[in-house]
Amino acid sequence: MKALRALIIFVGLVVVWQTIVILTEVPFYILPGPWLVVKALIARSDVLFDHSWVTLSEIILGLLLGTVLGSLSALTLGYFRPARLWLMPILVVSQAIPVFALAPILVLWLGYGMVSKVAMATLIIYFPVTAAFFDGLRRTEPGHLDLAHSMNASRWTTLRYIRIPAALPSFASGLRVATAVAPIGAIVGEWVGSSEGLGFLMLHANGRMQIDVMFAALFILAVMAVTLYYAVDAGLKRLLFWSPESQSIET
Amino acid sequence: MTSIEKHPFSISLRADRLAFGDTLLFEHIEFELSAGKWTCLLGPSGVGKTTLLRLMADLVPDVENVSIKCSDQLPLSGRASYMAQQDLLMPWLSVLENVLLGSTLRKEVQRTERAHELLDLVGLLSSADDLPAKLSGGMRQRAALARTLMEDRPVVLMDEPFSALDAITRVRLQNMASELLQDRTVLLVTHDPLEALRLGDRIHVLSGRPVTLNAPLTPSGSAPRDLHDPEVLKGQADLLEQLAAADQMEVA
C-alpha cells in the first residue's frame, strides 16, 4: 500500500511536469520534459554513475563521521559536567556561522578532492546529532535515575544501561534530520570547488547548456537522498523496536 | 521463600532541620523503622511523606542536619531497595532483563534462574520475554515487585507503589507484597488509610508545617489484614478523621 502510494505520487508529479512543459511551451534549455531527462539519463549513464558514486561516498562518509563525532560530543557533554559548562556555549556560538560560508575555506584548506566535501557534510550533520542526542541524555526519567542510584549503579553503568538507551529516540530524530541535510553539504562543497561529483556535473552541464543532464543529475540526487533517508529510518526503527516514538512521519 | 536477613536491624532517622527554599519542612523530627516490620506513613499530599522516604533512600542531594542510623551500626546505603508509584521498568528491556537490572548495573553475575523463580512467584513467568509495554498496569507493578525481590535487600522503601492500580488489582498486589516482603523492614508511603491498616505494623500520620508525626497506630493481627476485620474498618474511620484534621491544618 505504501509503495503504491509512493508510485502514484511519483507518476502524478511526472504528469504535472509534462503538462507544464506542454502548456507553457517552455524551451528545453529552460525546463526539459521528463522524456528528455530519461534520454539523458540513459545516454550519459556512465558519466552520471561515476559522479553519483563520488557524491554518494561523500554523503555516506560525512554521515558516518558526523554521527560518530556528534555522538561522542553528546556523550562527553552528558558525562562530564565541566565539558558541558565550557563546550556548550562554544557549540551554540559555532552554529551562528553558516556552514555554507565555510565551504570556500574548507576547499582552500582541504583541497579540491573528496576530503573537503566530506568535511562539509560532517559539519552539517554534526550539530543536529550532537544537539538531539545530548538533549536526550539530559532528559532521562528522574525515576529511572533514582532506581539506578538505589541499585548502587556507577555513573558509567547508569549512562551505558539507562541514559543512552533512553536517549536513543532523541538521537534518532537528530539523525533523521542529519540524513535529510547531508546531501546539501556534499553538493555545496562540490559547487565551491571540485572536479567530480553530481554538484560538479550540474555546474559543468549548466555551463554547456546541457540542461537535460542537469536535471538527470538532480533526479539521481533526489533518489539518492530519499533512499538514504528511508534506509536510515528503517535502521533506526529496528534499533528502537521498543519505542512508540520511533514511528516516523509517514506511518 | 527468599533469603532473609539473619540479623534484622532497625533504622532511625533524625532530621534537625530541613528546608526547601523558604519552606521549613522538618524540624526536630525523629522516627524509627522497627526491624522486620512494616511502617506506614500517611498524610495529606505534599506534607513530606515522600521526602522522608527519599531521605531514607539517599535520593535527596546535599542534605545536612539529617542523620540515618541503623541499629547494627552499619550504613544503610546499599541495603535498601526502592519501589515507586511508577513501575520504572525500562521500556527497552524485557521483563526478565528488567528484573536483572540491578545486577547489570553493578556488573554482577546474572542470576537468571533466580529471576525466573521470582517471576514465577509473581505470576509473570510466561511474560518473561515480553517488553513492559505489552503488560497491564498490575503486571508491570508485579514485575517491579520481582525486581525489588531480586535485589534481596533487608530494607524496602515503597512510595505509593499500588496507588495507580484499580481496586481489585491493588488488593491482590497488597496481599502479594505483604506475603513476599513479610520479614523485611519496610517503609510504605501511602495516602490510603485502608492500605496502611491492611499492611502496616506501625502507622504514622504526618501533618503540619513543619511536620509532626503522631504516635504510631499499631493494628493487631498479622498482615495482610482482612478487609472485613472490624478493627481495620474502625481504624480506617479514625485515620480518615486524623487525615481530615491534618488537611485542615494544611489549609490553615
Side-chain angles (χ1 to χ4, degrees):
Chain A
M1 190 59 216
K2 224 194 277 177
L4 186 68
R5 198 159 44 207
L7 188 70
I8 291 172
I9 291 172
F10 178 73
V11 172
L13 286 174
V14 170
V15 169
V16 170
W17 178 5
Q18 182 64 54
T19 315
I20 291 172
V21 169
I22 291 171
L23 287 181
T24 60
E25 295 179 351
V26 62
F28 70 90
Y29 53 83
I30 299 291
L31 178 65
W35 178 239
L36 278 176
V37 173
V38 171
K39 279 207 290 198
L41 268 174
I42 296 164
R44 308 293 299 277
S45 57
D46 50 341
V47 178
L48 284 165
F49 181 82
D50 289 346
H51 288 285
S52 303
W53 179 246
V54 172
T55 302
L56 184 63
S57 316
E58 289 163 2
I59 294 172
I60 289 179
L61 282 174
L63 202 53
L64 286 176
L65 268 173
T67 307
V68 169
L69 291 176
S71 305
L72 287 177
S73 304
L75 288 171
T76 312
L77 290 170
Y79 194 68
F80 301 106
R81 224 178 95 78
R84 199 165 0 188
L85 297 176
W86 288 95
L87 294 182
M88 204 55 200
I90 298 177
L91 198 66
V92 171
V93 169
S94 76
Q95 287 310 298
I97 306 168
V99 184
F100 304 130
L102 294 177
I105 300 170
L106 288 178
V107 172
L108 175 72
W109 287 348
L110 303 171
Y112 263 52
M114 260 173 78
V115 182
S116 57
K117 285 79 197 171
V118 172
M120 186 78 196
T122 305
L123 274 179
I124 277 200
I125 290 153
Y126 173 78
F127 191 72
V129 170
T130 309
F133 194 20
F134 175 56
D135 197 45
L137 288 172
R138 262 195 324 187
R139 283 168 198 257
T140 318
E141 169 86 39
H144 286 175
L145 296 178
D146 289 345
L147 183 70
H149 180 80
S150 79
M151 287 172 161
N152 298 83
S154 65
R155 254 164 70 75
W156 164 247
T157 56
T158 305
L159 181 74
R160 162 77 181 76
Y161 294 104
I162 294 178
R163 292 178 66 201
I164 291 179
L168 284 183
S170 304
F171 167 78
S173 356
L175 189 54
R176 284 195 185 96
V177 173
T179 312
V181 298
I184 302 177
I187 294 295
V188 169
E190 288 172 1
W191 280 350
V192 171
S194 65
S195 51
E196 47 184 0
L198 286 175
F200 163 77
L201 185 65
M202 286 174 78
L203 282 189
H204 185 77
N206 192 25
R208 290 156 188 247
M209 292 289 263
Q210 297 170 342
I211 309 303
D212 50 349
V213 176
M214 244 185 104
F215 271 81
L218 195 60
F219 175 76
I220 294 178
L221 194 62
V223 170
M224 217 144 77
V226 170
T227 311
L228 197 63
Y229 181 85
Y230 280 103
V232 168
D233 189 50
L236 287 173
K237 271 190 194 153
R238 184 168 287 214
L239 181 69
L240 293 169
F241 59 93
W242 52 271
S243 166
E245 293 151 47
S246 75
Q247 314 304 327
S248 67
I249 38 169
E250 91 280 13
T251 43
Chain B
M1 195 157 293
T2 46
S3 71
I4 293 155
E5 182 73 4
K6 302 287 187 296
H7 310 285
F9 54 90
S10 62
I11 307 155
S12 62
L13 178 140
R14 230 184 96 138
D16 290 333
R17 192 191 149 79
L18 185 72
F20 291 110
D22 293 335
T23 317
L24 181 60
L25 201 54
F26 303 133
E27 199 174 28
H28 307 302
I29 72 163
E30 271 190 76
F31 93 115
E32 194 182 81
L33 300 186
S34 317
K37 301 280 183 208
W38 283 54
T39 304
C40 296
L41 294 183
L42 266 172
S45 48
V47 76
K49 313 184 287 283
T50 295
T51 307
L52 267 184
L53 179 132
R54 293 178 66 84
L55 282 171
M56 285 263 182
D58 185 29
L59 291 174
V60 186
D62 310 321
V63 280
E64 290 166 8
N65 310 322
V66 173
S67 72
I68 294 164
K69 289 204 174 76
C70 301
S71 59
D72 60 3
Q73 311 304 324
L74 295 170
L76 178 59
S77 165
R79 296 198 287 171
S81 58
Y82 171 63
M83 245 183 116
Q85 182 178 352
Q86 311 88 20
D87 48 72
L88 301 179
L89 298 173
M90 306 294 150
W92 55 88
L93 298 179
S94 71
V95 170
L96 177 68
E97 289 165 333
N98 264 296
V99 172
L100 291 165
L101 181 69
S103 50
T104 307
L105 288 172
R106 289 185 299 269
K107 303 235 171 213
E108 293 168 0
V109 184
Q110 304 272 12
R111 294 158 59 213
T112 314
E113 215 165 287
R114 175 75 186 141
H116 274 123
E117 277 171 36
L118 291 171
L119 281 173
D120 195 20
L121 213 56
V122 298
L124 281 179
L125 194 54
S126 57
S127 305
D129 297 322
D130 289 341
L131 288 178
K134 274 188 74 180
L135 272 50
S136 69
M139 289 163 87
R140 294 171 66 108
Q141 207 52 279
R142 259 147 55 199
L145 183 59
R147 181 188 60 202
T148 308
L149 291 169
M150 189 72 202
E151 290 297 285
D152 199 21
R153 295 184 173 182
V155 182
V156 179
L157 307 170
M158 298 200 283
D159 192 359
E160 305 197 15
F162 314 118
S163 61
L165 304 171
D166 65 82
I168 306 295
T169 315
R170 191 184 315 158
V171 169
R172 284 200 192 121
L173 255 158
Q174 285 169 351
N175 293 346
M176 184 178 272
S178 173
E179 202 179 294
L180 296 175
L181 299 172
Q182 213 170 25
D183 299 299
R184 313 209 183 209
T185 307
V186 175
L187 175 62
L188 174 69
V189 164
T190 175
H191 58 242
D192 177 4
L194 189 60
E195 179 166 288
L197 285 160
R198 293 199 64 220
L199 304 178
D201 298 305
R202 296 159 65 94
I203 303 166
H204 289 280
V205 175
L206 276 65
S207 59
R209 177 90 66 239
V211 170
T212 52
L213 270 77
N214 72 343
L217 196 77
T218 49
S220 60
S222 63
R225 293 180 192 86
D226 193 80
L227 281 166
H228 302 293
D229 185 338
E231 195 192 326
V232 167
L233 295 175
K234 173 159 189 317
Q236 187 183 16
D238 292 347
L239 281 176
L240 277 170
E241 237 165 65
Q242 283 193 46
L243 282 172
D247 205 36
Q248 215 56 42
M249 276 170 73
E250 201 80 348
V251 175

